[in-house]
Amino acid sequence: MMGFHYQSHCYQLLRREAILGLFLLLFPLLLPCLFTPFAHASSSTFSEWNVPKPRHLSLLRSALERESSNGEQSDLWAPLADQGWRPFLESANALSALPQKSEGYLQVFLDGGLNQQRMGICDAVAVAKILNATLVVPHLEVNPVWQDSSSFMDIFDVDHFINVLKDDVSIVKELPDEFSWSTREYYATATRATRIKRAPVHASVNWYLEYVLPVLQSYGIAAISPFSHRLSFDNTPSEIQQLRCKVNFKALVLVQHIRALGDAIVHRLRYPPGESEAVGSNYLRETTDHYDKQKPHKFVVVHLRFDKDMAAHSACDFGGGKAEKLALAKYRQTIWGGRVLNSQFTDEELRSQGRCPLTPEEIGLLLAALGFDNSTRLYLASHKVYGGEARISTLRELFPLMESKKSVSSSEERVRIKGKASLLAAVDYYIGMHSDIFVSASPGNMHNALVGHRTFENKKTIRPNMALLGQLFLNKNITWSEFRQAVAEGHQNRLGQLRLRKPKQSLYTYPAPDCMCRA
């Protein structure tokens, strides 16, 4: 009898262990949001295990069956016609001479990603001019999402920056010894009299003269933190506007090794090596004479802004069901706390308003509808795509000649930018400026910066009509011919045509008429 009970007890233990083992195996599948890494560099558990199928299968099938042609002969590739505007960067010194005595040193601490920081640098120079201050080379904060500690000098040619602006603003790389105490750590530990903490967004020129100038005059130094979008685009003197453009389009030049890598990648996109020619670690030093007789290929840079942060911030549905929604909600709370809440709009309402980023599948359908065929060479400018390679697969099906930094450069060449989001973005920015066409999957700082820079140089840029596309993609019964016609008609005036800046709009996205003049 005791033997029977002993056997029964053993059987129950084994059964419990088996059930527990099965539960441990299935638990991550049932609740992936609990296993989603919080670090941005990692893909979500959802994206690794449960990538949704194409959401627009009918359109995708039709797009894949579209006829191929010599795409580079298409009117799409034709350069923009002369629109009658020219860059105008008259030195601010021409209207307001640089005084012999500075009011003091101005420090700014810039948050955000690379392109937000880029705009902040331009504003910092302008504010220094307004205050007659000596600008300390801006400090770039470590972004909590990207975790990149790259400094100004790691990204931009600081000597060029100082030299180009020497007649407009006094700039120093470091504070003199008497102010060496004024560090980021100093301002992080307590309230300081020399720190201006609550500069309003889009503050006026008069605000700086009223609230910052007295601090400079009293202490010889003022530190503004945070400093992002802190100078108005309206009611600002024309010489200050032109100075902001001079910084953005002339003074901010990337460091040499980033430009060298960018040039090498652009060259490989224009003159693709044969299949037998592997990309070597010494490519940057190789001669290009071999390709001189080849006709250069054209290429499109696609800024695929579909990272986990964008997906979480948008509060849109991307087809991953409850698992995806839970994972993004958890990530949203971890990164932004209560500052970014779930939208009160439905997914349909968000899409019809154009507030959802285009997925890789959708940006591919847009390009196909505009007339780009499968012989079109794409360069993918992006950081981490939410869903990884599986999410990009439909875009690659539509455009098999799709490249990225990894596919057209060696790991040895990328060693100086590896793991550094700002430097990776800088390479993509450089390539975006040297492409035949640039298109972004959704508005954002890189989109805005490149739209403005390419407008300044009269280069073709596709600006997706987000509201139109959102409505088209919601229509599950739309045919390919209807979709293609609607896309073509809705983008006739969104291929790089110059738009004059309106009140409250950014000077860095719309440089005319403030920093351009009619020919």
Side-chain angles (χ1 to χ4, degrees):
M1 194 70 173
M2 290 180 62
F4 171 79
H5 285 300
Y6 178 77
Q7 289 178 347
S8 176
H9 179 67
C10 289
Y11 173 77
Q12 290 176 359
L13 286 176
L14 290 171
R15 187 167 179 266
R16 287 176 186 171
E17 290 177 1
I19 292 172
L20 180 61
L22 181 62
F23 180 75
L24 290 174
L25 286 172
L26 293 177
F27 187 58
L29 292 172
L30 295 173
L31 291 173
C33 61
L34 298 181
F35 290 81
T36 301
F38 296 152
H40 182 275
S42 301
S43 299
S44 73
T45 304
F46 157 77
S47 66
E48 293 169 358
W49 292 349
N50 189 29
V51 174
K53 296 178 181 178
R55 304 191 74 187
H56 313 289
L57 194 55
S58 177
L59 292 176
L60 181 61
R61 285 170 178 165
S62 298
L64 289 170
E65 293 171 358
R66 71 197 190 281
E67 293 184 4
S68 297
S69 62
N70 187 356
E72 294 192 3
Q73 300 303 317
S74 167
D75 290 341
L76 282 168
W77 296 104
L80 281 175
D82 189 336
Q83 300 184 70
W85 288 81
R86 299 287 183 274
F88 181 69
L89 296 178
E90 180 177 314
S91 174
N93 191 41
L95 298 176
S96 179
L98 190 64
Q100 292 183 350
K101 187 177 183 301
S102 167
E103 294 288 354
Y105 292 94
L106 177 68
Q107 289 178 289
V108 295
F109 299 91
L110 303 176
D111 51 8
L114 173 65
N115 292 291
Q116 182 174 323
Q117 290 171 337
R118 181 188 185 100
M119 298 170 193
I121 293 166
C122 301
D123 285 352
V125 172
V127 169
K129 180 67 178 179
I130 291 167
L131 299 173
N132 181 32
T134 297
L135 178 68
V136 183
V137 168
H139 174 87
L140 308 186
E141 300 274 32
V142 177
N143 187 286
V145 173
W146 305 113
Q147 291 296 318
D148 186 353
S149 59
S150 298
S151 69
F152 183 104
M153 298 180 195
D154 292 329
I155 304 169
F156 300 107
D157 185 332
V158 67
D159 292 323
H160 177 86
F161 176 73
I162 294 173
N163 185 59
V164 168
L165 299 171
K166 67 180 186 299
D167 294 328
D168 300 292
V169 177
S170 296
I171 303 174
V172 295
K173 297 178 183 178
E174 296 179 349
L175 285 167
D177 290 342
E178 62 186 292
F179 292 110
S180 60
W181 49 264
S182 186
T183 64
R184 185 68 186 90
E185 292 71 25
Y186 172 76
Y187 293 109
T189 56
T191 301
R192 307 294 183 181
T194 53
R195 177 185 176 184
I196 292 86
K197 186 176 181 180
R198 301 194 181 279
V201 173
H202 302 312
S204 67
V205 168
N206 287 336
W207 186 91
Y208 283 98
L209 294 173
E210 183 176 354
Y211 292 100
V212 183
L213 183 58
V215 176
L216 276 174
Q217 293 172 333
S218 297
Y219 299 96
I221 189 170
I224 308 178
S225 175
F227 188 84
S228 178
H229 310 298
R230 291 306 195 270
L231 180 60
S232 174
F233 292 112
D234 300 324
N235 302 315
T236 301
S238 59
E239 63 267 26
I240 296 299
Q241 300 288 65
Q242 290 169 23
L243 177 58
R244 293 162 98 172
C245 286
K246 182 177 181 179
V247 180
N248 195 27
F249 303 131
K250 190 174 179 181
L252 286 176
V253 172
L254 297 169
V255 293
Q256 195 278 332
H257 76 87
I258 291 178
R259 287 182 281 123
L261 179 57
D263 285 335
I265 291 174
V266 169
H267 191 272
R268 293 167 202 176
L269 292 168
R270 295 221 178 275
Y271 303 94
E275 293 183 1
S276 61
E277 299 177 63
V279 173
S281 61
N282 63 339
Y283 194 99
L284 293 179
R285 298 182 294 275
E286 291 175 4
T287 179
T288 60
D289 292 344
H290 176 71
Y291 301 111
D292 284 348
K293 295 182 180 180
Q294 291 186 28
K295 182 181 178 181
H297 291 265
K298 298 182 185 297
F299 69 96
V300 181
V301 166
V302 177
H303 180 223
L304 196 56
R305 193 176 184 230
F306 195 75
D307 52 47
K308 190 174 181 182
D309 308 292
M310 185 68 183
H313 200 280
S314 70
C316 298
D317 179 15
F318 299 106
K322 291 183 179 179
E324 178 190 69
K325 290 182 180 179
L326 288 170
L328 292 179
K330 184 73 174 179
Y331 183 80
R332 187 184 302 122
Q333 181 63 29
T334 301
I335 297 298
W336 296 292
R339 297 190 301 277
V340 177
L341 303 176
N342 285 318
S343 173
Q344 299 302 309
F345 297 99
T346 66
D347 181 68
E348 289 76 14
E349 289 171 333
L350 289 171
R351 291 189 179 280
S352 63
Q353 295 168 15
R355 295 169 63 177
C356 294
L358 298 178
T359 64
E361 175 189 1
E362 290 168 345
I363 197 73
L365 290 172
L366 165 64
L367 293 174
L370 287 172
F372 294 102
D373 61 27
N374 61 9
S375 69
T376 300
R377 188 169 296 276
L378 298 187
Y379 173 83
L380 202 60
S382 63
H383 188 48
K384 292 282 187 180
V385 174
Y386 182 52
E389 179 59 33
R391 179 79 79 168
I392 303 173
S393 60
T394 50
L395 178 60
R396 196 178 298 281
E397 279 187 83
L398 289 165
F399 297 97
L401 301 181
M402 188 168 71
E403 306 286 1
S404 66
K405 286 183 287 291
K406 287 187 177 180
S407 68
V408 287
S409 63
S410 67
S411 57
E412 290 86 353
E413 290 171 323
R414 299 191 307 274
V415 68
R416 296 180 71 177
I417 65 172
K418 183 179 180 181
K420 299 178 180 178
S422 293
L423 301 189
L424 292 165
V427 172
D428 285 339
Y429 188 98
Y430 187 86
I431 297 167
M433 278 305 300
H434 288 78
S435 64
D436 298 281
I437 298 172
F438 172 79
V439 59
S440 181
S442 65
N445 288 317
M446 183 165 179
H447 165 92
N448 294 338
L450 273 165
V451 165
H453 205 156
R454 290 176 68 90
T455 295
F456 194 73
E457 297 190 7
N458 199 46
K459 293 184 175 182
K460 184 167 284 188
T461 306
I462 298 173
R463 298 173 58 252
N465 187 332
M466 302 296 287
L468 169 67
L469 291 168
Q471 294 163 20
L472 293 177
F473 286 128
L474 284 172
N475 183 356
K476 300 304 179 184
N477 297 317
I478 193 169
T479 65
W480 175 246
S481 60
E482 292 169 339
F483 178 78
R484 188 173 56 184
Q485 181 178 351
V487 166
E489 292 175 354
H491 289 81
Q492 284 181 346
N493 297 315
R494 304 180 73 89
L495 303 178
Q497 292 86 346
L498 185 143
R499 296 187 175 198
L500 299 181
R501 188 178 73 85
K502 298 177 182 178
K504 297 184 179 180
Q505 287 185 331
S506 170
L507 182 79
Y508 307 120
T509 308
Y510 304 96
D514 302 83
C515 303
M516 301 179 75
C517 59
R518 290 190 180 277

